[in-house]
Amino acid sequence: MDIRKVQMSGGSSYIVSLPKNWVKKSKIEKNDPVGLIIQDDGTLLITPNTSGDQIQKIWECEVSASTDRTFFLRCMIGAYISGYTSMKIWAHGRLPSFAMEVIREFTNMAIGQEVVEETENTVVIKDLLNPSEMPLSNTISRMSVIVIKMHQDALLALKENDIVLSENVISRDNDVDRLHWLIGRQANLILNDVNLSRKMGISADDAVHFFLTSRIIERVGDHASKIAKNVKRLSDKKIPTEIVANIEDVSSNSLKIFHSAMEAFFNADIIRANQTIIDSKYIEEHCKKLNACSMDFETSVAINVVNISDSIKRVADYSEDICENVINAVVGINNKM
């Protein structure tokens, strides 16, 4: 830590000198303005960015014929979530055809990413989405609505033996992933750009809270997809209506727990969060009974029923995690007041 003494100037102003290395690195000249931002914890942030414009970061990646396709895609997703505003993909010669395929796949998956420049050996992708136009709370709300509908449709597919609906549920998991990546991206942007944080009215702590919750919701979506996959495997099996009814009942109650957890999240209600954790405990007992009943069937049926039961239980478990995050966040905020 660089310690500097506060001095008095003119009898009414307090001044402190700026570190020379920082001034040079920030390319600040004499008489240039700097921004002063008072943080919630009492610290003072000094920034050369007085316009409030989003910080521009460029990620560059060289590809060749030997580049692993999957690794390349994962790196692009990582750069997107990390908050790079532009991506430059290039090759010494002509860009491999697989690279163009991966780039198209990525721009279709990631929200706000568009190719703005393309030559034989270079592609530039730019973020065209204004982060402040996509509030984190709206994205979280949309994610929760999607995953609830996914679970409901997965159970409807089981009841009606609808393979097409099962496949539709599985495909919707991509929509949840895209929104989760967007939350992760915006959280990183907020953590690294205090001006954006102020513009969006979201603190760094809030950004982390939203990201942790979106990660949990994304996992709830994964289990809806897993249920749908197990339903597909049961399509040629005869499942007693009583078992299907029991699965529907347990799933419905588990989704009620999830809905209650999301209500606690949006309302910052720690009382409801605590009660939801208590209410979720009985889901495990119902799932155990469901698993025991499945043992009366042939192995191929029992395995898939148990898998469905486990995914239903995980929804309640993840709902508990959301509620615990709510309690942690609200108690943390109250302690700062």
Side-chain angles (χ1 to χ4, degrees):
M1 178 184 294
D2 190 358
I3 307 296
R4 294 173 181 251
K5 289 185 178 181
V6 177
Q7 300 177 3
M8 183 76 85
S9 174
S12 60
S13 298
Y14 296 94
I15 63 173
V16 63
S17 61
L18 299 174
K20 185 176 181 179
N21 290 340
W22 178 80
V23 170
K24 286 187 173 182
K25 184 178 180 180
S26 301
K27 299 179 180 179
I28 296 174
E29 302 292 342
K30 183 181 178 181
N31 295 326
D32 283 350
V34 293
L36 304 179
I37 302 172
I38 300 174
Q39 303 284 69
D40 293 337
D41 62 359
T43 57
L44 184 66
L45 175 68
I46 303 176
T47 174
N49 181 11
T50 58
S51 65
D53 293 337
Q54 184 180 349
I55 297 173
Q56 301 296 307
K57 298 196 305 178
I58 301 175
W59 177 75
E60 292 195 24
C61 179
E62 178 189 358
V63 295
S64 66
S66 62
T67 301
D68 181 80
R69 177 193 178 105
T70 303
F71 178 64
F72 175 44
L73 177 59
R74 286 172 179 163
C75 287
M76 293 186 71
I77 294 171
Y80 170 76
I81 294 174
S82 295
Y84 285 95
T85 51
S86 296
M87 300 184 194
K88 182 179 179 181
I89 295 92
W90 60 278
H92 283 292
R94 186 183 182 89
L95 278 169
S97 59
F98 81 86
M100 297 305 302
E101 293 173 1
V102 171
I103 290 170
R104 281 193 293 270
E105 181 180 353
F106 168 75
T107 54
N108 287 333
M109 294 165 61
I111 297 174
Q113 303 298 293
E114 295 292 340
V115 173
V116 296
E117 181 182 331
E118 182 176 346
T119 65
E120 188 176 81
N121 63 346
T122 303
V123 170
V124 176
I125 301 171
K126 191 170 180 61
D127 177 32
L128 302 183
L129 178 68
N130 184 345
S132 60
E133 294 177 353
M134 291 287 289
L136 297 180
S137 57
N138 289 8
T139 306
I140 288 283
S141 177
R142 186 179 171 193
M143 287 180 70
S144 65
V145 169
I146 292 174
V147 299
I148 287 174
K149 183 61 175 173
M150 285 172 66
H151 275 268
Q152 291 173 336
D153 285 351
L155 269 295
L156 180 61
L158 174 64
K159 183 178 180 179
E160 300 184 354
N161 194 24
D162 190 336
I163 296 179
V164 174
L165 183 56
S166 296
E167 293 173 343
N168 181 267
V169 171
I170 296 169
S171 67
R172 271 182 271 166
D173 191 38
N174 291 331
D175 296 335
V176 181
D177 290 342
R178 294 173 73 236
L179 293 172
H180 172 57
W181 295 344
L182 178 62
I183 291 282
R185 175 181 176 79
Q186 290 182 302
N188 274 316
L189 289 171
I190 289 169
L191 289 171
N192 290 287
D193 187 346
V194 68
N195 285 313
L196 178 61
S197 173
R198 290 165 64 85
K199 186 181 295 185
M200 294 184 67
I202 300 290
S203 68
D205 289 343
D206 289 339
V208 172
H209 182 44
F210 275 107
F211 175 71
L212 290 175
T213 302
S214 76
R215 182 72 183 99
I216 296 170
I217 298 173
E218 188 267 338
R219 289 174 177 171
V220 173
D222 287 342
H223 280 282
S225 178
K226 288 182 178 180
I227 291 174
K229 290 175 182 177
N230 282 282
V231 169
K232 286 183 65 177
R233 297 187 193 105
L234 289 170
S235 60
D236 60 344
K237 309 293 183 183
K238 180 65 176 177
I239 313 296
T241 55
E242 181 182 351
I243 291 295
V244 174
N246 288 339
I247 293 174
E248 282 187 296
D249 183 58
V250 178
S251 177
S252 176
N253 287 316
S254 186
L255 286 179
K256 287 178 182 177
I257 296 295
F258 176 73
H259 184 269
S260 181
M262 293 310 303
E263 287 292 318
F265 171 82
F266 285 117
N267 296 315
D269 188 341
I270 61 174
I271 302 300
R272 181 164 189 171
N274 185 62
Q275 186 59 51
T276 301
I277 293 173
I278 296 171
D279 293 342
S280 69
K281 299 301 181 183
Y282 82 96
I283 296 293
E284 182 176 359
E285 294 303 317
H286 282 270
C287 288
K288 285 181 179 178
K289 293 178 181 178
L290 187 59
N291 293 344
C293 292
S294 69
M295 295 301 104
D296 295 333
F297 307 115
E298 60 179 282
T299 304
S300 60
V301 173
I303 289 174
N304 289 293
V305 170
V306 169
N307 287 342
I308 291 173
S309 174
D310 178 68
S311 289
I312 292 172
K313 176 182 174 298
R314 292 298 182 90
V315 174
D317 292 342
Y318 288 136
S319 299
E320 287 187 40
D321 292 341
I322 292 173
C323 291
E324 289 171 356
N325 283 345
V326 170
I327 295 172
N328 295 342
V330 174
V331 170
I333 291 172
N334 290 340
N335 283 346
K336 292 178 182 178
M337 294 179 177

mmCIF file of all heavy atoms in Angstrom, residues 186-227:
data_model
loop_
_atom_site.group_PDB
_atom_site.id
_atom_site.type_symbol
_atom_site.label_atom_id
_atom_site.label_comp_id
_atom_site.label_asym_id
_atom_site.label_seq_id
_atom_site.Cartn_x
_atom_site.Cartn_y
_atom_site.Cartn_z
ATOM 1 N N GLN A 186 -22.291 -9.693 -17.426
ATOM 2 C CA GLN A 186 -22.636 -8.409 -16.833
ATOM 3 C C GLN A 186 -22.067 -8.263 -15.426
ATOM 4 O O GLN A 186 -21.659 -7.173 -15.022
ATOM 5 C CB GLN A 186 -24.158 -8.235 -16.829
ATOM 6 C CG GLN A 186 -24.723 -8.036 -18.229
ATOM 7 C CD GLN A 186 -26.218 -7.813 -18.221
ATOM 8 O OE1 GLN A 186 -26.969 -8.651 -17.735
ATOM 9 N NE2 GLN A 186 -26.656 -6.692 -18.747
ATOM 10 N N ALA A 187 -22.049 -9.374 -14.681
ATOM 11 C CA ALA A 187 -21.459 -9.331 -13.338
ATOM 12 C C ALA A 187 -19.983 -8.958 -13.418
ATOM 13 O O ALA A 187 -19.497 -8.128 -12.638
ATOM 14 C CB ALA A 187 -21.634 -10.682 -12.643
ATOM 15 N N ASN A 188 -19.266 -9.544 -14.370
ATOM 16 C CA ASN A 188 -17.846 -9.222 -14.539
ATOM 17 C C ASN A 188 -17.646 -7.770 -14.976
ATOM 18 O O ASN A 188 -16.707 -7.098 -14.528
ATOM 19 C CB ASN A 188 -17.210 -10.164 -15.557
ATOM 20 C CG ASN A 188 -16.727 -11.455 -14.935
ATOM 21 O OD1 ASN A 188 -16.115 -11.442 -13.874
ATOM 22 N ND2 ASN A 188 -17.002 -12.575 -15.571
ATOM 23 N N LEU A 189 -18.515 -7.292 -15.855
ATOM 24 C CA LEU A 189 -18.415 -5.896 -16.292
ATOM 25 C C LEU A 189 -18.614 -4.945 -15.121
ATOM 26 O O LEU A 189 -17.892 -3.950 -14.977
ATOM 27 C CB LEU A 189 -19.459 -5.619 -17.380
ATOM 28 C CG LEU A 189 -19.216 -6.253 -18.755
ATOM 29 C CD1 LEU A 189 -20.438 -6.064 -19.655
ATOM 30 C CD2 LEU A 189 -17.971 -5.661 -19.416
ATOM 31 N N ILE A 190 -19.591 -5.260 -14.275
ATOM 32 C CA ILE A 190 -19.874 -4.409 -13.120
ATOM 33 C C ILE A 190 -18.721 -4.439 -12.124
ATOM 34 O O ILE A 190 -18.337 -3.408 -11.556
ATOM 35 C CB ILE A 190 -21.190 -4.856 -12.449
ATOM 36 C CG1 ILE A 190 -22.376 -4.493 -13.352
ATOM 37 C CG2 ILE A 190 -21.357 -4.218 -11.071
ATOM 38 C CD1 ILE A 190 -23.689 -5.120 -12.931
ATOM 39 N N LEU A 191 -18.158 -5.619 -11.914
ATOM 40 C CA LEU A 191 -17.056 -5.748 -10.963
ATOM 41 C C LEU A 191 -15.822 -4.973 -11.421
ATOM 42 O O LEU A 191 -15.015 -4.544 -10.589
ATOM 43 C CB LEU A 191 -16.692 -7.229 -10.773
ATOM 44 C CG LEU A 191 -17.711 -8.082 -10.007
ATOM 45 C CD1 LEU A 191 -17.333 -9.554 -10.078
ATOM 46 C CD2 LEU A 191 -17.793 -7.636 -8.554
ATOM 47 N N ASN A 192 -15.669 -4.795 -12.728
ATOM 48 C CA ASN A 192 -14.475 -4.150 -13.268
ATOM 49 C C ASN A 192 -14.698 -2.717 -13.736
ATOM 50 O O ASN A 192 -13.752 -2.060 -14.183
ATOM 51 C CB ASN A 192 -13.921 -4.980 -14.442
ATOM 52 C CG ASN A 192 -13.326 -6.291 -13.980
ATOM 53 O OD1 ASN A 192 -12.257 -6.331 -13.384
ATOM 54 N ND2 ASN A 192 -14.025 -7.385 -14.241
ATOM 55 N N ASP A 193 -15.931 -2.242 -13.646
ATOM 56 C CA ASP A 193 -16.232 -0.893 -14.140
ATOM 57 C C ASP A 193 -17.209 -0.223 -13.179
ATOM 58 O O ASP A 193 -18.411 -0.450 -13.231
ATOM 59 C CB ASP A 193 -16.829 -0.980 -15.549
ATOM 60 C CG ASP A 193 -17.004 0.384 -16.196
ATOM 61 O OD1 ASP A 193 -16.913 1.399 -15.486
ATOM 62 O OD2 ASP A 193 -17.240 0.438 -17.416
ATOM 63 N N VAL A 194 -16.676 0.600 -12.295
ATOM 64 C CA VAL A 194 -17.513 1.227 -11.277
ATOM 65 C C VAL A 194 -18.529 2.180 -11.902
ATOM 66 O O VAL A 194 -19.630 2.376 -11.366
ATOM 67 C CB VAL A 194 -16.640 1.964 -10.239
ATOM 68 C CG1 VAL A 194 -15.955 3.178 -10.847
ATOM 69 C CG2 VAL A 194 -17.460 2.355 -9.023
ATOM 70 N N ASN A 195 -18.196 2.784 -13.043
ATOM 71 C CA ASN A 195 -19.152 3.684 -13.712
ATOM 72 C C ASN A 195 -20.382 2.911 -14.182
ATOM 73 O O ASN A 195 -21.515 3.382 -14.053
ATOM 74 C CB ASN A 195 -18.483 4.380 -14.906
ATOM 75 C CG ASN A 195 -17.541 5.489 -14.476
ATOM 76 O OD1 ASN A 195 -17.887 6.313 -13.637
ATOM 77 N ND2 ASN A 195 -16.339 5.501 -15.035
ATOM 78 N N LEU A 196 -20.158 1.715 -14.733
ATOM 79 C CA LEU A 196 -21.278 0.884 -15.167
ATOM 80 C C LEU A 196 -22.088 0.443 -13.963
ATOM 81 O O LEU A 196 -23.325 0.383 -14.013
ATOM 82 C CB LEU A 196 -20.760 -0.336 -15.936
ATOM 83 C CG LEU A 196 -21.818 -1.321 -16.424
ATOM 84 C CD1 LEU A 196 -22.779 -0.643 -17.397
ATOM 85 C CD2 LEU A 196 -21.161 -2.531 -17.097
ATOM 86 N N SER A 197 -21.397 0.129 -12.871
ATOM 87 C CA SER A 197 -22.079 -0.263 -11.637
ATOM 88 C C SER A 197 -23.033 0.836 -11.176
ATOM 89 O O SER A 197 -24.187 0.572 -10.821
ATOM 90 C CB SER A 197 -21.052 -0.567 -10.551
ATOM 91 O OG SER A 197 -21.678 -0.782 -9.307
ATOM 92 N N ARG A 198 -22.560 2.063 -11.195
ATOM 93 C CA ARG A 198 -23.395 3.198 -10.778
ATOM 94 C C ARG A 198 -24.535 3.430 -11.767
ATOM 95 O O ARG A 198 -25.663 3.739 -11.377
ATOM 96 C CB ARG A 198 -22.532 4.453 -10.660
ATOM 97 C CG ARG A 198 -21.552 4.413 -9.483
ATOM 98 C CD ARG A 198 -20.492 5.490 -9.619
ATOM 99 N NE ARG A 198 -21.069 6.818 -9.569
ATOM 100 C CZ ARG A 198 -21.331 7.485 -8.440
ATOM 101 N NH1 ARG A 198 -21.075 6.934 -7.283
ATOM 102 N NH2 ARG A 198 -21.850 8.701 -8.479
ATOM 103 N N LYS A 199 -24.245 3.291 -13.061
ATOM 104 C CA LYS A 199 -25.258 3.518 -14.088
ATOM 105 C C LYS A 199 -26.400 2.508 -13.978
ATOM 106 O O LYS A 199 -27.571 2.844 -14.164
ATOM 107 C CB LYS A 199 -24.614 3.446 -15.474
ATOM 108 C CG LYS A 199 -25.553 3.824 -16.617
ATOM 109 C CD LYS A 199 -24.849 3.711 -17.962
ATOM 110 C CE LYS A 199 -23.727 4.709 -18.095
ATOM 111 N NZ LYS A 199 -23.115 4.689 -19.452
ATOM 112 N N MET A 200 -26.043 1.240 -13.681
ATOM 113 C CA MET A 200 -27.058 0.184 -13.577
ATOM 114 C C MET A 200 -27.676 0.104 -12.188
ATOM 115 O O MET A 200 -28.667 -0.609 -11.985
ATOM 116 C CB MET A 200 -26.442 -1.165 -13.939
ATOM 117 C CG MET A 200 -26.007 -1.286 -15.392
ATOM 118 S SD MET A 200 -25.379 -2.928 -15.823
ATOM 119 C CE MET A 200 -26.886 -3.921 -15.674
ATOM 120 N N GLY A 201 -27.081 0.824 -11.227
ATOM 121 C CA GLY A 201 -27.606 0.789 -9.867
ATOM 122 C C GLY A 201 -27.394 -0.553 -9.192
ATOM 123 O O GLY A 201 -28.193 -0.966 -8.343
ATOM 124 N N ILE A 202 -26.324 -1.235 -9.592
ATOM 125 C CA ILE A 202 -26.012 -2.556 -9.044
ATOM 126 C C ILE A 202 -24.614 -2.523 -8.426
ATOM 127 O O ILE A 202 -23.643 -2.189 -9.106
ATOM 128 C CB ILE A 202 -26.045 -3.644 -10.134
ATOM 129 C CG1 ILE A 202 -27.428 -3.724 -10.782
ATOM 130 C CG2 ILE A 202 -25.648 -4.995 -9.572
ATOM 131 C CD1 ILE A 202 -28.506 -4.286 -9.882
ATOM 132 N N SER A 203 -24.523 -2.842 -7.141
ATOM 133 C CA SER A 203 -23.221 -2.872 -6.486
ATOM 134 C C SER A 203 -22.482 -4.151 -6.851
ATOM 135 O O SER A 203 -23.073 -5.099 -7.386
ATOM 136 C CB SER A 203 -23.391 -2.791 -4.965
ATOM 137 O OG SER A 203 -24.006 -3.984 -4.470
ATOM 138 N N ALA A 204 -21.195 -4.186 -6.535
ATOM 139 C CA ALA A 204 -20.396 -5.388 -6.794
ATOM 140 C C ALA A 204 -20.966 -6.581 -6.027
ATOM 141 O O ALA A 204 -21.031 -7.695 -6.549
ATOM 142 C CB ALA A 204 -18.943 -5.140 -6.404
ATOM 143 N N ASP A 205 -21.377 -6.347 -4.778
ATOM 144 C CA ASP A 205 -21.969 -7.425 -3.972
ATOM 145 C C ASP A 205 -23.248 -7.956 -4.613
ATOM 146 O O ASP A 205 -23.485 -9.172 -4.651
ATOM 147 C CB ASP A 205 -22.277 -6.932 -2.549
ATOM 148 C CG ASP A 205 -21.018 -6.716 -1.721
ATOM 149 O OD1 ASP A 205 -19.961 -7.238 -2.122
ATOM 150 O OD2 ASP A 205 -21.094 -6.028 -0.691
ATOM 151 N N ASP A 206 -24.079 -7.040 -5.116
ATOM 152 C CA ASP A 206 -25.321 -7.450 -5.777
ATOM 153 C C ASP A 206 -25.037 -8.260 -7.032
ATOM 154 O O ASP A 206 -25.720 -9.244 -7.328
ATOM 155 C CB ASP A 206 -26.158 -6.218 -6.149
ATOM 156 C CG ASP A 206 -26.772 -5.532 -4.945
ATOM 157 O OD1 ASP A 206 -26.906 -6.201 -3.892
ATOM 158 O OD2 ASP A 206 -27.097 -4.333 -5.036
ATOM 159 N N ALA A 207 -24.009 -7.843 -7.778
ATOM 160 C CA ALA A 207 -23.647 -8.542 -9.018
ATOM 161 C C ALA A 207 -23.248 -9.987 -8.723
ATOM 162 O O ALA A 207 -23.655 -10.915 -9.429
ATOM 163 C CB ALA A 207 -22.511 -7.810 -9.727
ATOM 164 N N VAL A 208 -22.464 -10.176 -7.663
ATOM 165 C CA VAL A 208 -22.059 -11.526 -7.265
ATOM 166 C C VAL A 208 -23.285 -12.331 -6.829
ATOM 167 O O VAL A 208 -23.430 -13.516 -7.169
ATOM 168 C CB VAL A 208 -21.020 -11.474 -6.130
ATOM 169 C CG1 VAL A 208 -20.747 -12.873 -5.576
ATOM 170 C CG2 VAL A 208 -19.728 -10.842 -6.622
ATOM 171 N N HIS A 209 -24.176 -11.697 -6.091
ATOM 172 C CA HIS A 209 -25.410 -12.350 -5.623
ATOM 173 C C HIS A 209 -26.257 -12.825 -6.810
ATOM 174 O O HIS A 209 -26.758 -13.957 -6.822
ATOM 175 C CB HIS A 209 -26.195 -11.360 -4.756
ATOM 176 C CG HIS A 209 -27.459 -11.899 -4.174
ATOM 177 N ND1 HIS A 209 -27.557 -13.148 -3.593
ATOM 178 C CD2 HIS A 209 -28.703 -11.347 -4.078
ATOM 179 C CE1 HIS A 209 -28.789 -13.345 -3.173
ATOM 180 N NE2 HIS A 209 -29.498 -12.269 -3.462
ATOM 181 N N PHE A 210 -26.394 -11.977 -7.818
ATOM 182 C CA PHE A 210 -27.157 -12.349 -9.007
ATOM 183 C C PHE A 210 -26.479 -13.504 -9.751
ATOM 184 O O PHE A 210 -27.149 -14.424 -10.229
ATOM 185 C CB PHE A 210 -27.302 -11.142 -9.947
ATOM 186 C CG PHE A 210 -28.453 -10.236 -9.615
ATOM 187 C CD1 PHE A 210 -28.244 -8.995 -9.037
ATOM 188 C CD2 PHE A 210 -29.758 -10.628 -9.888
ATOM 189 C CE1 PHE A 210 -29.303 -8.165 -8.724
ATOM 190 C CE2 PHE A 210 -30.838 -9.802 -9.586
ATOM 191 C CZ PHE A 210 -30.606 -8.567 -8.997
ATOM 192 N N PHE A 211 -25.156 -13.432 -9.861
ATOM 193 C CA PHE A 211 -24.450 -14.491 -10.585
ATOM 194 C C PHE A 211 -24.591 -15.840 -9.876
ATOM 195 O O PHE A 211 -24.836 -16.864 -10.524
ATOM 196 C CB PHE A 211 -22.974 -14.137 -10.743
ATOM 197 C CG PHE A 211 -22.173 -15.235 -11.382
ATOM 198 C CD1 PHE A 211 -22.327 -15.527 -12.727
ATOM 199 C CD2 PHE A 211 -21.291 -16.002 -10.638
ATOM 200 C CE1 PHE A 211 -21.612 -16.559 -13.331
ATOM 201 C CE2 PHE A 211 -20.575 -17.031 -11.219
ATOM 202 C CZ PHE A 211 -20.729 -17.313 -12.565
ATOM 203 N N LEU A 212 -24.432 -15.864 -8.560
ATOM 204 C CA LEU A 212 -24.567 -17.115 -7.812
ATOM 205 C C LEU A 212 -25.967 -17.701 -7.987
ATOM 206 O O LEU A 212 -26.136 -18.916 -8.152
ATOM 207 C CB LEU A 212 -24.292 -16.873 -6.326
ATOM 208 C CG LEU A 212 -22.835 -16.556 -5.950
ATOM 209 C CD1 LEU A 212 -22.741 -16.205 -4.462
ATOM 210 C CD2 LEU A 212 -21.920 -17.726 -6.274
ATOM 211 N N THR A 213 -26.973 -16.830 -7.983
ATOM 212 C CA THR A 213 -28.354 -17.297 -8.142
ATOM 213 C C THR A 213 -28.587 -17.813 -9.554
ATOM 214 O O THR A 213 -29.245 -18.843 -9.749
ATOM 215 C CB THR A 213 -29.342 -16.156 -7.815
ATOM 216 O OG1 THR A 213 -29.106 -15.705 -6.480
ATOM 217 C CG2 THR A 213 -30.777 -16.644 -7.931
ATOM 218 N N SER A 214 -28.051 -17.124 -10.551
ATOM 219 C CA SER A 214 -28.249 -17.582 -11.933
ATOM 220 C C SER A 214 -27.580 -18.934 -12.153
ATOM 221 O O SER A 214 -28.090 -19.771 -12.903
ATOM 222 C CB SER A 214 -27.695 -16.549 -12.929
ATOM 223 O OG SER A 214 -26.287 -16.584 -13.008
ATOM 224 N N ARG A 215 -26.450 -19.155 -11.485
ATOM 225 C CA ARG A 215 -25.762 -20.452 -11.607
ATOM 226 C C ARG A 215 -26.643 -21.568 -11.060
ATOM 227 O O ARG A 215 -26.709 -22.662 -11.627
ATOM 228 C CB ARG A 215 -24.421 -20.405 -10.843
ATOM 229 C CG ARG A 215 -23.614 -21.700 -10.968
ATOM 230 C CD ARG A 215 -23.036 -21.820 -12.357
ATOM 231 N NE ARG A 215 -22.325 -23.068 -12.561
ATOM 232 C CZ ARG A 215 -22.823 -24.137 -13.164
ATOM 233 N NH1 ARG A 215 -24.061 -24.108 -13.644
ATOM 234 N NH2 ARG A 215 -22.110 -25.219 -13.346
ATOM 235 N N ILE A 216 -27.322 -21.300 -9.971
ATOM 236 C CA ILE A 216 -28.211 -22.302 -9.377
ATOM 237 C C ILE A 216 -29.406 -22.560 -10.292
ATOM 238 O O ILE A 216 -29.792 -23.713 -10.521
ATOM 239 C CB ILE A 216 -28.688 -21.841 -7.982
ATOM 240 C CG1 ILE A 216 -27.486 -21.738 -7.031
ATOM 241 C CG2 ILE A 216 -29.727 -22.807 -7.422
ATOM 242 C CD1 ILE A 216 -27.811 -21.069 -5.706
ATOM 243 N N ILE A 217 -29.989 -21.492 -10.832
ATOM 244 C CA ILE A 217 -31.139 -21.651 -11.729
ATOM 245 C C ILE A 217 -30.736 -22.442 -12.971
ATOM 246 O O ILE A 217 -31.496 -23.273 -13.472
ATOM 247 C CB ILE A 217 -31.716 -20.278 -12.129
ATOM 248 C CG1 ILE A 217 -32.230 -19.539 -10.889
ATOM 249 C CG2 ILE A 217 -32.847 -20.439 -13.143
ATOM 250 C CD1 ILE A 217 -32.672 -18.115 -11.160
ATOM 251 N N GLU A 218 -29.520 -22.181 -13.468
ATOM 252 C CA GLU A 218 -29.027 -22.915 -14.633
ATOM 253 C C GLU A 218 -28.966 -24.414 -14.333
ATOM 254 O O GLU A 218 -29.283 -25.247 -15.188
ATOM 255 C CB GLU A 218 -27.644 -22.375 -15.015
ATOM 256 C CG GLU A 218 -27.089 -22.901 -16.321
ATOM 257 C CD GLU A 218 -26.217 -24.126 -16.144
ATOM 258 O OE1 GLU A 218 -25.700 -24.322 -15.022
ATOM 259 O OE2 GLU A 218 -26.068 -24.905 -17.107
ATOM 260 N N ARG A 219 -28.602 -24.766 -13.114
ATOM 261 C CA ARG A 219 -28.549 -26.182 -12.730
ATOM 262 C C ARG A 219 -29.949 -26.775 -12.607
ATOM 263 O O ARG A 219 -30.160 -27.949 -12.914
ATOM 264 C CB ARG A 219 -27.787 -26.322 -11.400
ATOM 265 C CG ARG A 219 -26.291 -26.068 -11.552
ATOM 266 C CD ARG A 219 -25.573 -26.057 -10.224
ATOM 267 N NE ARG A 219 -24.138 -25.888 -10.411
ATOM 268 C CZ ARG A 219 -23.280 -25.668 -9.414
ATOM 269 N NH1 ARG A 219 -23.722 -25.571 -8.172
ATOM 270 N NH2 ARG A 219 -21.988 -25.539 -9.666
ATOM 271 N N VAL A 220 -30.893 -25.966 -12.159
ATOM 272 C CA VAL A 220 -32.291 -26.432 -12.122
ATOM 273 C C VAL A 220 -32.756 -26.744 -13.541
ATOM 274 O O VAL A 220 -33.441 -27.740 -13.788
ATOM 275 C CB VAL A 220 -33.199 -25.368 -11.467
ATOM 276 C CG1 VAL A 220 -34.674 -25.769 -11.581
ATOM 277 C CG2 VAL A 220 -32.824 -25.184 -9.993
ATOM 278 N N GLY A 221 -32.354 -25.905 -14.497
ATOM 279 C CA GLY A 221 -32.671 -26.166 -15.899
ATOM 280 C C GLY A 221 -32.021 -27.439 -16.404
ATOM 281 O O GLY A 221 -32.621 -28.202 -17.170
ATOM 282 N N ASP A 222 -30.781 -27.690 -15.969
ATOM 283 C CA ASP A 222 -30.095 -28.931 -16.347
ATOM 284 C C ASP A 222 -30.898 -30.152 -15.920
ATOM 285 O O ASP A 222 -30.992 -31.143 -16.656
ATOM 286 C CB ASP A 222 -28.703 -28.998 -15.703
ATOM 287 C CG ASP A 222 -27.713 -28.036 -16.350
ATOM 288 O OD1 ASP A 222 -27.981 -27.577 -17.471
ATOM 289 O OD2 ASP A 222 -26.672 -27.762 -15.728
ATOM 290 N N HIS A 223 -31.482 -30.085 -14.732
ATOM 291 C CA HIS A 223 -32.236 -31.240 -14.230
ATOM 292 C C HIS A 223 -33.586 -31.395 -14.938
ATOM 293 O O HIS A 223 -34.092 -32.513 -15.059
ATOM 294 C CB HIS A 223 -32.401 -31.149 -12.714
ATOM 295 C CG HIS A 223 -31.175 -31.598 -11.978
ATOM 296 N ND1 HIS A 223 -30.852 -32.929 -11.808
ATOM 297 C CD2 HIS A 223 -30.170 -30.895 -11.413
ATOM 298 C CE1 HIS A 223 -29.714 -33.022 -11.157
ATOM 299 N NE2 HIS A 223 -29.274 -31.801 -10.906
ATOM 300 N N ALA A 224 -34.152 -30.297 -15.426
ATOM 301 C CA ALA A 224 -35.345 -30.417 -16.256
ATOM 302 C C ALA A 224 -34.995 -31.169 -17.532
ATOM 303 O O ALA A 224 -35.745 -32.043 -17.994
ATOM 304 C CB ALA A 224 -35.904 -29.035 -16.582
ATOM 305 N N SER A 225 -33.835 -30.842 -18.095
ATOM 306 C CA SER A 225 -33.364 -31.531 -19.291
ATOM 307 C C SER A 225 -33.101 -33.011 -19.001
ATOM 308 O O SER A 225 -33.423 -33.885 -19.811
ATOM 309 C CB SER A 225 -32.085 -30.855 -19.793
ATOM 310 O OG SER A 225 -31.571 -31.511 -20.925
ATOM 311 N N LYS A 226 -32.533 -33.304 -17.835
ATOM 312 C CA LYS A 226 -32.271 -34.700 -17.458
ATOM 313 C C LYS A 226 -33.570 -35.484 -17.307
ATOM 314 O O LYS A 226 -33.652 -36.650 -17.696
ATOM 315 C CB LYS A 226 -31.467 -34.750 -16.156
ATOM 316 C CG LYS A 226 -30.016 -34.325 -16.317
ATOM 317 C CD LYS A 226 -29.250 -34.446 -15.001
ATOM 318 C CE LYS A 226 -27.796 -34.053 -15.190
ATOM 319 N NZ LYS A 226 -27.023 -34.158 -13.918
ATOM 320 N N ILE A 227 -34.582 -34.853 -16.733
ATOM 321 C CA ILE A 227 -35.891 -35.513 -16.612
ATOM 322 C C ILE A 227 -36.419 -35.853 -17.997
ATOM 323 O O ILE A 227 -36.900 -36.969 -18.244
ATOM 324 C CB ILE A 227 -36.891 -34.620 -15.853
ATOM 325 C CG1 ILE A 227 -36.494 -34.500 -14.379
ATOM 326 C CG2 ILE A 227 -38.311 -35.190 -15.965
ATOM 327 C CD1 ILE A 227 -37.347 -33.521 -13.583
#
